[in-house]
Amino acid sequence: MTSDISPSSKNLSELDEWRSLKIDQHPQWVNHPDFAQVMRELSTVPPLVFAGEVDQMRADLARVANGEAFLLQGGDCAETFAGATADKISGRIRTLLQMAVVLTYGASMPVVKMGRMAGQFSKPRSSNDETRNGVTLPSFRGEMVNGFDFTEESRVHDPRRMLRGYHTSASTLNLIRAFTQGGFADLRLVNSWNKGFTSNPAHSRYESIAAEIDRAVKFMEACGTDFGPLKTTDVYTGHEALLLDFERALTRIDSRTNLPYDTSAHFLWIGERTRGLDDAHVNFLSKVRNPIGVKLGPTTTADDALALIDKLDPERDPGRLTFIIRMGAATIRKKLPAIVEGVQKTGAKVVWVTDPMHGNTISVPSGYKTRRFDDVADEVQGFFEVHEALGTFPGGIHVEMTGDDVAECLGGSDPIEEAAFADRYETLCDPRLNHQQSLEIAFQVAEYLARR
């Protein structure tokens, strides 16, 4: 007997199971008068990324899982619509490319580059509400949900913002592709940018690495190397798949395979607050073909990790699943080994990535939320120490960063002081590494990789 249900219609039906499950951190907008129309429009717009690109990233991440490449992901904590300008986007891409060149040299292997860009417009919050001077309003959840201004009108969960998020993501992706395919990514140009970083006396300890890279480039030029292929590069995009209404609307059935792909980004991740095994976010992302990440915080056990592997990567396909570790500098050396050992014993090939930002957030007397650069660097070092001790591969780094000269994280070799926050603190959510601090982290990671 043959079924009268096509593979594509069956896949579409399964994609809606999440609607009946527990869901955290989701906007309250289903009763908004424009919700249904927004969903219809998003279901028919062109994809932001294509299934073939997603497959290529999954293959690249398989190389990371097998210890043959390294993953670099960076970008804003939460993107803003106003920040989607050519100058802002080029600054972030430039910083990401500079970091990638340093890491490529240190690791002596390819670096898979992913921007936390073109879709990172929503954020989980610890409380649904915020109170100021006796007034309580919904918390700001990113510009795809509501506005930052503390007014009743601004803080309404408005589904129309998803349409603006889609179109802003599309224009951001256009610029990313133009920059990375149009000569902006030329290895020689990126290398020259790093000379400016190491010319600062505060960064003199990294000058020897930069000089080695420069000699390698000059050697290739002297040998008549064809720099044509080195003028372009691939930069993938990823964001937290928090707004399942948006993700479901952007999911398409691939005509080649009859399988569902979430075309809002190449890579999607589940946050620490929404990784409940039987909850909506894990259920939905278990259905799509994209490579998937899961944030693992200090409460995670080895059993938790193994259950997530069974749910999200039952076929044990290298490149499918990435564990993004966010435990804090004081905790990672204690908590991570048991998780890695538990996964290692099963033979599962996941990508191990450190997120040294989210476990190290503090508040200072002036009221600003910040991170200490030394804590960020220490968590990165702890991540490498754990993997070195266990003989496993530390596959990547995931940082909140910007290409701008902001003052949001304390310290660094050219230190940021708290007094600078008053004039140069720009983030709407979590503090980011600035351009100089991002490069310093890249040079430190390159040193770790070079010693492996």
Side-chain angles (χ1 to χ4, degrees), residues 186-221:
D186 190 314
L187 174 63
R188 293 163 294 185
L189 179 62
V190 176
N191 183 53
S192 70
W193 294 336
N194 279 337
K195 292 179 186 176
F197 170 79
T198 56
S199 67
N200 184 335
H203 305 134
S204 58
R205 63 170 283 197
Y206 309 115
E207 192 171 2
S208 61
I209 297 177
E212 289 174 16
I213 297 173
D214 190 45
R215 282 195 295 272
V217 171
K218 289 178 178 176
F219 174 77
M220 288 190 289
E221 287 181 317

mmCIF file of all heavy atoms in Angstrom, residues 186-221:
data_model
loop_
_atom_site.group_PDB
_atom_site.id
_atom_site.type_symbol
_atom_site.label_atom_id
_atom_site.label_comp_id
_atom_site.label_asym_id
_atom_site.label_seq_id
_atom_site.Cartn_x
_atom_site.Cartn_y
_atom_site.Cartn_z
ATOM 1 N N ASP A 186 40.792 39.965 0.600
ATOM 2 C CA ASP A 186 42.126 39.629 0.089
ATOM 3 C C ASP A 186 43.092 39.417 1.258
ATOM 4 O O ASP A 186 43.240 40.276 2.128
ATOM 5 C CB ASP A 186 42.625 40.763 -0.804
ATOM 6 C CG ASP A 186 43.896 40.399 -1.571
ATOM 7 O OD1 ASP A 186 44.826 39.843 -0.953
ATOM 8 O OD2 ASP A 186 43.966 40.679 -2.772
ATOM 9 N N LEU A 187 43.752 38.261 1.268
ATOM 10 C CA LEU A 187 44.645 37.903 2.368
ATOM 11 C C LEU A 187 45.681 38.984 2.624
ATOM 12 O O LEU A 187 45.999 39.303 3.779
ATOM 13 C CB LEU A 187 45.327 36.567 2.060
ATOM 14 C CG LEU A 187 46.411 36.108 3.043
ATOM 15 C CD1 LEU A 187 45.827 35.880 4.421
ATOM 16 C CD2 LEU A 187 47.094 34.845 2.539
ATOM 17 N N ARG A 188 46.225 39.571 1.558
ATOM 18 C CA ARG A 188 47.271 40.581 1.734
ATOM 19 C C ARG A 188 46.725 41.840 2.389
ATOM 20 O O ARG A 188 47.393 42.465 3.219
ATOM 21 C CB ARG A 188 47.898 40.906 0.374
ATOM 22 C CG ARG A 188 48.683 39.740 -0.222
ATOM 23 C CD ARG A 188 48.932 39.914 -1.700
ATOM 24 N NE ARG A 188 47.681 39.878 -2.469
ATOM 25 C CZ ARG A 188 47.638 39.917 -3.791
ATOM 26 N NH1 ARG A 188 48.761 39.979 -4.490
ATOM 27 N NH2 ARG A 188 46.481 39.874 -4.421
ATOM 28 N N LEU A 189 45.504 42.203 2.061
ATOM 29 C CA LEU A 189 44.885 43.379 2.662
ATOM 30 C C LEU A 189 44.599 43.143 4.138
ATOM 31 O O LEU A 189 44.903 43.989 4.986
ATOM 32 C CB LEU A 189 43.583 43.707 1.918
ATOM 33 C CG LEU A 189 42.756 44.899 2.413
ATOM 34 C CD1 LEU A 189 43.561 46.191 2.286
ATOM 35 C CD2 LEU A 189 41.445 45.003 1.636
ATOM 36 N N VAL A 190 44.018 41.990 4.455
ATOM 37 C CA VAL A 190 43.696 41.669 5.841
ATOM 38 C C VAL A 190 44.963 41.613 6.683
ATOM 39 O O VAL A 190 44.999 42.106 7.812
ATOM 40 C CB VAL A 190 42.916 40.335 5.918
ATOM 41 C CG1 VAL A 190 42.664 39.952 7.370
ATOM 42 C CG2 VAL A 190 41.601 40.432 5.163
ATOM 43 N N ASN A 191 46.023 41.045 6.121
ATOM 44 C CA ASN A 191 47.285 40.969 6.856
ATOM 45 C C ASN A 191 47.835 42.360 7.153
ATOM 46 O O ASN A 191 48.378 42.608 8.234
ATOM 47 C CB ASN A 191 48.313 40.157 6.054
ATOM 48 C CG ASN A 191 49.616 39.974 6.795
ATOM 49 O OD1 ASN A 191 49.628 39.514 7.931
ATOM 50 N ND2 ASN A 191 50.711 40.347 6.171
ATOM 51 N N SER A 192 47.681 43.289 6.226
ATOM 52 C CA SER A 192 48.174 44.645 6.463
ATOM 53 C C SER A 192 47.398 45.327 7.582
ATOM 54 O O SER A 192 47.947 46.138 8.339
ATOM 55 C CB SER A 192 48.087 45.479 5.177
ATOM 56 O OG SER A 192 46.743 45.769 4.844
ATOM 57 N N TRP A 193 46.102 45.006 7.723
ATOM 58 C CA TRP A 193 45.330 45.579 8.833
ATOM 59 C C TRP A 193 45.898 45.143 10.175
ATOM 60 O O TRP A 193 45.942 45.925 11.126
ATOM 61 C CB TRP A 193 43.874 45.131 8.736
ATOM 62 C CG TRP A 193 43.126 45.641 7.549
ATOM 63 C CD1 TRP A 193 43.391 46.768 6.821
ATOM 64 C CD2 TRP A 193 41.983 45.041 6.942
ATOM 65 N NE1 TRP A 193 42.480 46.897 5.798
ATOM 66 C CE2 TRP A 193 41.600 45.859 5.851
ATOM 67 C CE3 TRP A 193 41.226 43.900 7.219
ATOM 68 C CZ2 TRP A 193 40.509 45.565 5.043
ATOM 69 C CZ3 TRP A 193 40.140 43.604 6.420
ATOM 70 C CH2 TRP A 193 39.792 44.423 5.341
ATOM 71 N N ASN A 194 46.321 43.884 10.267
ATOM 72 C CA ASN A 194 46.837 43.384 11.537
ATOM 73 C C ASN A 194 48.150 44.058 11.938
ATOM 74 O O ASN A 194 48.504 44.098 13.119
ATOM 75 C CB ASN A 194 47.025 41.870 11.483
ATOM 76 C CG ASN A 194 45.723 41.127 11.703
ATOM 77 O OD1 ASN A 194 44.789 41.663 12.287
ATOM 78 N ND2 ASN A 194 45.642 39.894 11.232
ATOM 79 N N LYS A 195 48.885 44.594 10.962
ATOM 80 C CA LYS A 195 50.105 45.322 11.305
ATOM 81 C C LYS A 195 49.783 46.544 12.150
ATOM 82 O O LYS A 195 50.540 46.921 13.038
ATOM 83 C CB LYS A 195 50.841 45.746 10.027
ATOM 84 C CG LYS A 195 51.424 44.597 9.224
ATOM 85 C CD LYS A 195 52.111 45.135 7.964
ATOM 86 C CE LYS A 195 52.576 44.024 7.062
ATOM 87 N NZ LYS A 195 53.163 44.549 5.805
ATOM 88 N N GLY A 196 48.653 47.184 11.860
ATOM 89 C CA GLY A 196 48.245 48.328 12.656
ATOM 90 C C GLY A 196 47.973 47.944 14.095
ATOM 91 O O GLY A 196 48.298 48.689 15.023
ATOM 92 N N PHE A 197 47.394 46.774 14.309
ATOM 93 C CA PHE A 197 47.116 46.300 15.664
ATOM 94 C C PHE A 197 48.412 46.082 16.443
ATOM 95 O O PHE A 197 48.554 46.537 17.582
ATOM 96 C CB PHE A 197 46.307 45.005 15.596
ATOM 97 C CG PHE A 197 46.158 44.293 16.907
ATOM 98 C CD1 PHE A 197 45.228 44.719 17.842
ATOM 99 C CD2 PHE A 197 46.933 43.181 17.210
ATOM 100 C CE1 PHE A 197 45.081 44.060 19.058
ATOM 101 C CE2 PHE A 197 46.802 42.519 18.413
ATOM 102 C CZ PHE A 197 45.867 42.955 19.343
ATOM 103 N N THR A 198 49.363 45.400 15.835
ATOM 104 C CA THR A 198 50.591 45.069 16.567
ATOM 105 C C THR A 198 51.551 46.251 16.673
ATOM 106 O O THR A 198 52.513 46.194 17.440
ATOM 107 C CB THR A 198 51.306 43.877 15.901
ATOM 108 O OG1 THR A 198 51.557 44.184 14.518
ATOM 109 C CG2 THR A 198 50.474 42.623 16.001
ATOM 110 N N SER A 199 51.310 47.322 15.919
ATOM 111 C CA SER A 199 52.165 48.499 16.058
ATOM 112 C C SER A 199 51.922 49.231 17.377
ATOM 113 O O SER A 199 52.747 50.028 17.824
ATOM 114 C CB SER A 199 51.950 49.472 14.884
ATOM 115 O OG SER A 199 50.636 50.022 14.929
ATOM 116 N N ASN A 200 50.789 48.948 18.011
ATOM 117 C CA ASN A 200 50.497 49.518 19.332
ATOM 118 C C ASN A 200 51.407 48.838 20.361
ATOM 119 O O ASN A 200 51.408 47.613 20.481
ATOM 120 C CB ASN A 200 49.024 49.270 19.667
ATOM 121 C CG ASN A 200 48.587 49.899 20.983
ATOM 122 O OD1 ASN A 200 49.396 50.122 21.875
ATOM 123 N ND2 ASN A 200 47.301 50.162 21.102
ATOM 124 N N PRO A 201 52.211 49.600 21.126
ATOM 125 C CA PRO A 201 53.113 48.979 22.106
ATOM 126 C C PRO A 201 52.400 48.047 23.082
ATOM 127 O O PRO A 201 53.005 47.096 23.585
ATOM 128 C CB PRO A 201 53.708 50.195 22.830
ATOM 129 C CG PRO A 201 53.619 51.313 21.839
ATOM 130 C CD PRO A 201 52.363 51.067 21.059
ATOM 131 N N ALA A 202 51.109 48.297 23.342
ATOM 132 C CA ALA A 202 50.368 47.446 24.268
ATOM 133 C C ALA A 202 50.223 46.023 23.743
ATOM 134 O O ALA A 202 50.003 45.084 24.506
ATOM 135 C CB ALA A 202 48.982 48.040 24.530
ATOM 136 N N HIS A 203 50.356 45.862 22.428
ATOM 137 C CA HIS A 203 50.176 44.545 21.822
ATOM 138 C C HIS A 203 51.494 43.971 21.297
ATOM 139 O O HIS A 203 51.499 43.099 20.428
ATOM 140 C CB HIS A 203 49.161 44.631 20.673
ATOM 141 C CG HIS A 203 47.854 45.225 21.080
ATOM 142 N ND1 HIS A 203 47.209 46.195 20.345
ATOM 143 C CD2 HIS A 203 47.071 44.996 22.172
ATOM 144 C CE1 HIS A 203 46.080 46.531 20.952
ATOM 145 N NE2 HIS A 203 45.974 45.824 22.063
ATOM 146 N N SER A 204 52.598 44.432 21.804
ATOM 147 C CA SER A 204 53.904 44.039 21.275
ATOM 148 C C SER A 204 54.160 42.540 21.407
ATOM 149 O O SER A 204 54.908 41.969 20.609
ATOM 150 C CB SER A 204 55.019 44.822 21.989
ATOM 151 O OG SER A 204 54.971 44.597 23.389
ATOM 152 N N ARG A 205 53.545 41.879 22.399
ATOM 153 C CA ARG A 205 53.782 40.439 22.585
ATOM 154 C C ARG A 205 53.296 39.630 21.383
ATOM 155 O O ARG A 205 53.710 38.489 21.177
ATOM 156 C CB ARG A 205 53.102 39.917 23.857
ATOM 157 C CG ARG A 205 51.600 40.021 23.873
ATOM 158 C CD ARG A 205 50.964 39.283 25.038
ATOM 159 N NE ARG A 205 50.923 37.856 24.834
ATOM 160 C CZ ARG A 205 50.131 37.036 25.534
ATOM 161 N NH1 ARG A 205 49.346 37.526 26.476
ATOM 162 N NH2 ARG A 205 50.132 35.749 25.306
ATOM 163 N N TYR A 206 52.398 40.210 20.581
ATOM 164 C CA TYR A 206 51.854 39.491 19.422
ATOM 165 C C TYR A 206 52.585 39.846 18.130
ATOM 166 O O TYR A 206 52.258 39.330 17.068
ATOM 167 C CB TYR A 206 50.362 39.798 19.272
ATOM 168 C CG TYR A 206 49.581 39.597 20.550
ATOM 169 C CD1 TYR A 206 48.975 40.659 21.194
ATOM 170 C CD2 TYR A 206 49.466 38.331 21.127
ATOM 171 C CE1 TYR A 206 48.268 40.480 22.379
ATOM 172 C CE2 TYR A 206 48.773 38.145 22.306
ATOM 173 C CZ TYR A 206 48.172 39.225 22.931
ATOM 174 O OH TYR A 206 47.485 39.046 24.107
ATOM 175 N N GLU A 207 53.581 40.729 18.238
ATOM 176 C CA GLU A 207 54.257 41.210 17.036
ATOM 177 C C GLU A 207 54.969 40.087 16.301
ATOM 178 O O GLU A 207 55.022 40.060 15.072
ATOM 179 C CB GLU A 207 55.244 42.318 17.411
ATOM 180 C CG GLU A 207 55.786 43.076 16.215
ATOM 181 C CD GLU A 207 56.579 44.304 16.632
ATOM 182 O OE1 GLU A 207 56.734 44.536 17.842
ATOM 183 O OE2 GLU A 207 57.042 45.011 15.729
ATOM 184 N N SER A 208 55.511 39.120 17.043
ATOM 185 C CA SER A 208 56.263 38.041 16.396
ATOM 186 C C SER A 208 55.341 37.181 15.526
ATOM 187 O O SER A 208 55.712 36.766 14.424
ATOM 188 C CB SER A 208 56.965 37.167 17.441
ATOM 189 O OG SER A 208 56.016 36.566 18.314
ATOM 190 N N ILE A 209 54.109 36.915 16.001
ATOM 191 C CA ILE A 209 53.173 36.132 15.200
ATOM 192 C C ILE A 209 52.814 36.896 13.932
ATOM 193 O O ILE A 209 52.792 36.339 12.826
ATOM 194 C CB ILE A 209 51.891 35.811 16.003
ATOM 195 C CG1 ILE A 209 52.225 34.957 17.222
ATOM 196 C CG2 ILE A 209 50.868 35.097 15.113
ATOM 197 C CD1 ILE A 209 51.024 34.655 18.099
ATOM 198 N N ALA A 210 52.527 38.200 14.088
ATOM 199 C CA ALA A 210 52.173 39.016 12.923
ATOM 200 C C ALA A 210 53.327 39.049 11.925
ATOM 201 O O ALA A 210 53.106 39.009 10.703
ATOM 202 C CB ALA A 210 51.812 40.430 13.371
ATOM 203 N N ALA A 211 54.565 39.113 12.430
ATOM 204 C CA ALA A 211 55.725 39.146 11.548
ATOM 205 C C ALA A 211 55.874 37.823 10.798
ATOM 206 O O ALA A 211 56.227 37.800 9.606
ATOM 207 C CB ALA A 211 56.988 39.443 12.353
ATOM 208 N N GLU A 212 55.597 36.709 11.476
ATOM 209 C CA GLU A 212 55.665 35.409 10.815
ATOM 210 C C GLU A 212 54.626 35.307 9.696
ATOM 211 O O GLU A 212 54.906 34.784 8.608
ATOM 212 C CB GLU A 212 55.426 34.296 11.841
ATOM 213 C CG GLU A 212 56.574 34.109 12.833
ATOM 214 C CD GLU A 212 56.229 33.094 13.910
ATOM 215 O OE1 GLU A 212 55.251 32.338 13.703
ATOM 216 O OE2 GLU A 212 56.917 33.059 14.944
ATOM 217 N N ILE A 213 53.414 35.802 9.965
ATOM 218 C CA ILE A 213 52.370 35.785 8.941
ATOM 219 C C ILE A 213 52.793 36.636 7.752
ATOM 220 O O ILE A 213 52.631 36.247 6.590
ATOM 221 C CB ILE A 213 51.034 36.286 9.522
ATOM 222 C CG1 ILE A 213 50.545 35.357 10.638
ATOM 223 C CG2 ILE A 213 49.972 36.389 8.426
ATOM 224 C CD1 ILE A 213 49.329 35.870 11.386
ATOM 225 N N ASP A 214 53.374 37.797 8.040
ATOM 226 C CA ASP A 214 53.809 38.701 6.977
ATOM 227 C C ASP A 214 54.884 38.044 6.114
ATOM 228 O O ASP A 214 54.854 38.134 4.880
ATOM 229 C CB ASP A 214 54.338 40.003 7.590
ATOM 230 C CG ASP A 214 54.568 41.074 6.543
ATOM 231 O OD1 ASP A 214 53.694 41.257 5.675
ATOM 232 O OD2 ASP A 214 55.625 41.732 6.598
ATOM 233 N N ARG A 215 55.823 37.357 6.756
ATOM 234 C CA ARG A 215 56.881 36.667 5.995
ATOM 235 C C ARG A 215 56.292 35.560 5.137
ATOM 236 O O ARG A 215 56.714 35.334 4.006
ATOM 237 C CB ARG A 215 57.938 36.102 6.950
ATOM 238 C CG ARG A 215 58.922 37.148 7.474
ATOM 239 C CD ARG A 215 60.143 36.492 8.110
ATOM 240 N NE ARG A 215 59.792 35.733 9.304
ATOM 241 C CZ ARG A 215 59.736 36.252 10.535
ATOM 242 N NH1 ARG A 215 59.988 37.549 10.711
ATOM 243 N NH2 ARG A 215 59.424 35.502 11.566
ATOM 244 N N ALA A 216 55.293 34.859 5.680
ATOM 245 C CA ALA A 216 54.658 33.780 4.912
ATOM 246 C C ALA A 216 53.962 34.333 3.668
ATOM 247 O O ALA A 216 54.052 33.758 2.576
ATOM 248 C CB ALA A 216 53.663 33.032 5.789
ATOM 249 N N VAL A 217 53.287 35.467 3.824
ATOM 250 C CA VAL A 217 52.609 36.082 2.682
ATOM 251 C C VAL A 217 53.630 36.531 1.638
ATOM 252 O O VAL A 217 53.452 36.318 0.429
ATOM 253 C CB VAL A 217 51.734 37.265 3.149
ATOM 254 C CG1 VAL A 217 51.202 38.055 1.953
ATOM 255 C CG2 VAL A 217 50.578 36.764 4.011
ATOM 256 N N LYS A 218 54.714 37.161 2.084
ATOM 257 C CA LYS A 218 55.751 37.608 1.149
ATOM 258 C C LYS A 218 56.424 36.427 0.450
ATOM 259 O O LYS A 218 56.778 36.512 -0.735
ATOM 260 C CB LYS A 218 56.789 38.443 1.892
ATOM 261 C CG LYS A 218 56.254 39.813 2.326
ATOM 262 C CD LYS A 218 57.293 40.608 3.101
ATOM 263 C CE LYS A 218 56.744 41.983 3.480
ATOM 264 N NZ LYS A 218 57.707 42.753 4.321
ATOM 265 N N PHE A 219 56.592 35.328 1.183
ATOM 266 C CA PHE A 219 57.168 34.133 0.582
ATOM 267 C C PHE A 219 56.258 33.610 -0.536
ATOM 268 O O PHE A 219 56.732 33.254 -1.629
ATOM 269 C CB PHE A 219 57.361 33.052 1.651
ATOM 270 C CG PHE A 219 57.828 31.727 1.118
ATOM 271 C CD1 PHE A 219 59.151 31.540 0.749
ATOM 272 C CD2 PHE A 219 56.946 30.664 0.975
ATOM 273 C CE1 PHE A 219 59.592 30.324 0.254
ATOM 274 C CE2 PHE A 219 57.373 29.447 0.484
ATOM 275 C CZ PHE A 219 58.696 29.276 0.126
ATOM 276 N N MET A 220 54.951 33.583 -0.274
ATOM 277 C CA MET A 220 54.011 33.129 -1.305
ATOM 278 C C MET A 220 54.051 34.041 -2.526
ATOM 279 O O MET A 220 54.013 33.570 -3.668
ATOM 280 C CB MET A 220 52.592 33.069 -0.731
ATOM 281 C CG MET A 220 52.373 31.924 0.248
ATOM 282 S SD MET A 220 50.615 31.710 0.679
ATOM 283 C CE MET A 220 50.331 33.146 1.684
ATOM 284 N N GLU A 221 54.137 35.343 -2.291
ATOM 285 C CA GLU A 221 54.226 36.283 -3.407
ATOM 286 C C GLU A 221 55.491 36.047 -4.225
ATOM 287 O O GLU A 221 55.479 36.038 -5.455
ATOM 288 C CB GLU A 221 54.197 37.723 -2.886
ATOM 289 C CG GLU A 221 52.831 38.174 -2.392
ATOM 290 C CD GLU A 221 52.847 39.611 -1.913
ATOM 291 O OE1 GLU A 221 53.818 39.988 -1.219
ATOM 292 O OE2 GLU A 221 51.904 40.359 -2.220
#
